[in-house]
Amino acid sequence: MKETILQKATDMFLTLGYKSVTMDDIANEMGISKKTIYLHYANKNELVEASTTSLFITIAEGIDEICTLGYNSIEEIFIIRKFLMKHLNNETASPFFQLQKFFPQTFSALRQKQFEKMHTCMTESIEKGIRDGLYRTDLDVDFTSRIYFTGLTGIKDSDIFPHSVYDINAVTRQFLEYHLRAITTESGQSQLKEVLKKY
């Protein structure tokens, strides 16, 4: 029951937002009493934390699996992006804005874990791209990895990219192209063109 509650809560949080969804909403959706939820989760904060931790683990394991499939470093980024969209309900910004605003400690812990995971993955991906001749050999790998994370999270800032004007998925694709054009070799540029047609 605990895992079922967690899965349902996570689905609802991603669809409607971490603040918007109440414990009553989850109980009603599942056809159980709120008391049953409290048998497994002491309060909403605990449920939100469990939800974000579970989601992070699922995504981290999925990314690790993708990285073993042998794609080149450019296509790999787009495959990971597609995977993230699937598991984050197309990554609408509202749930994570609510998480940041109303559950700041949970958000901060999640962001740190995201950075550590992304930094490790991107460092390995960039090094692979350099070895394969797709990325420039003069890149500062650590800087490039960090600026990638900063850009990817920065484009979700609704003050800079208002959601009424910018579609988050379109902006993310534009950012990926912008980033990759800056670091690819001539061979990498050709590969990027093919990947952009495919995705």
Side-chain angles (χ1 to χ4, degrees):
M1 177 58 78
K2 186 173 185 177
E3 281 301 314
T4 305
I5 292 168
L6 181 60
Q7 185 59 58
K8 174 56 70 175
T10 300
D11 291 343
M12 293 177 72
F13 289 148
L14 288 175
T15 303
L16 302 169
Y18 287 90
K19 172 66 174 175
S20 302
V21 175
T22 66
M23 299 294 254
D24 282 318
D25 292 333
I26 298 166
N28 290 338
E29 185 71 18
M30 295 186 69
I32 60 176
S33 70
K34 194 161 62 170
K35 185 177 179 182
T36 302
I37 297 177
Y38 285 124
L39 286 174
H40 301 284
Y41 298 98
N43 51 53
K44 185 176 174 181
N45 281 348
E46 188 176 302
L47 182 54
V48 167
E49 188 171 332
S51 170
T52 57
T53 298
S54 173
L55 190 60
F56 173 79
I57 291 169
T58 298
I59 289 172
E61 289 175 348
I63 290 173
D64 286 342
E65 186 175 340
I66 290 168
C67 290
T68 66
L69 299 178
Y71 291 101
N72 70 60
S73 52
I74 294 173
E75 186 164 9
E76 189 175 81
I77 288 176
F78 284 86
I79 292 170
I80 289 173
R81 173 65 191 146
K82 186 177 179 181
F83 170 78
L84 289 173
M85 287 170 61
K86 177 184 175 185
H87 284 272
L88 297 176
N89 286 5
N90 287 323
E91 207 166 3
T92 52
S94 176
F96 295 97
F97 172 76
Q98 289 189 16
L99 185 67
Q100 183 177 11
K101 185 174 181 181
F102 298 105
F103 303 91
Q105 287 184 318
T106 300
F107 177 82
S108 180
L110 177 63
R111 184 177 171 84
Q112 183 60 36
K113 287 190 287 189
Q114 287 174 328
F115 170 72
E116 290 168 0
K117 181 64 182 175
M118 186 70 76
H119 186 50
T120 300
C121 288
M122 278 307 298
T123 297
E124 293 171 358
S125 179
I126 293 165
E127 289 172 345
K128 179 172 72 171
I130 291 172
R131 288 195 303 272
D132 293 343
L134 298 176
Y135 294 159
R136 296 175 9 230
T137 57
D138 61 342
L139 290 176
D140 181 324
V141 175
D142 183 68
F143 171 82
T144 305
S145 175
R146 289 173 186 271
I147 206 70
Y148 175 78
F149 179 82
T150 303
L152 204 56
T153 53
I155 59 174
K156 295 169 190 171
D157 187 331
S158 60
D159 291 332
I160 299 172
F161 293 96
H163 304 139
S164 58
V165 179
Y166 292 95
D167 173 73
I168 187 65
N169 293 319
V171 171
T172 302
R173 185 187 179 282
Q174 285 180 277
F175 170 73
L176 292 180
E177 182 178 354
Y178 173 86
H179 173 77
L180 289 167
R181 286 194 183 281
I183 68 173
T184 45
T185 60
E186 189 173 332
S187 174
Q189 295 277 339
S190 298
Q191 180 63 41
L192 178 59
K193 286 180 184 177
E194 294 303 312
V195 172
L196 288 171
K197 288 177 189 175
K198 192 172 179 180
Y199 296 94

